[in-house]
Amino acid sequence: MKKIVIRNKFRFICFLLVSFTLISLIGVSIFNLGKVYGQDPADFETHFVAPGETVWSIAEQYNKDGDIRSLVYEIQKINNSSSCLYVGQQIKVPV
């Protein structure tokens, strides 16, 4: 039986660390595939923009917590938009 000789210990240790890291990342990724979190469509209400409405005024209509700024931010984030709204535009509002 042939004896295995490690000639460069530093290179071998680096190889082991990189291999262990890659195997760990792959394992964590595989076990977390089913744990993707998203928003349930029932968590939103559809609102059609009327003339003169702004994101702020829409947030005031649906506000329940008292902090309108966070609701304005959520509306903009969910709809991937800035503060520009168009009459008749359909937007989602978290409820």
Side-chain angles (χ1 to χ4, degrees):
M1 189 161 146
K2 192 173 183 180
K3 186 176 180 182
I4 298 174
V5 178
I6 300 172
R7 295 183 188 200
N8 191 340
K9 290 184 182 181
F10 177 75
R11 185 184 293 176
F12 180 70
I13 290 173
C14 287
F15 171 76
L16 287 178
L17 287 174
V18 169
S19 299
F20 178 74
T21 304
L22 288 175
I23 291 171
S24 298
L25 289 174
I26 291 170
V28 167
S29 298
I30 289 172
F31 288 113
N32 284 333
L33 282 178
K35 298 180 182 177
V36 176
Y37 298 102
Q39 298 269 340
D40 187 16
D43 295 341
F44 301 109
E45 189 169 315
T46 303
H47 180 84
F48 291 94
V49 179
E53 281 189 320
T54 61
V55 177
W56 191 271
S57 65
I58 294 170
E60 284 178 332
Q61 292 175 9
Y62 291 92
N63 186 23
K64 295 180 184 132
D65 297 334
D67 187 17
I68 297 175
R69 291 173 294 175
S70 63
L71 186 56
V72 168
Y73 174 74
E74 287 294 319
I75 291 171
Q76 290 175 341
K77 187 173 93 174
I78 291 167
N79 294 290
N80 296 325
S81 66
S82 61
S83 59
C84 295
L85 296 177
Y86 304 100
V87 176
Q89 181 180 357
Q90 180 179 349
I91 62 171
K92 297 176 186 175
V93 180
V95 291

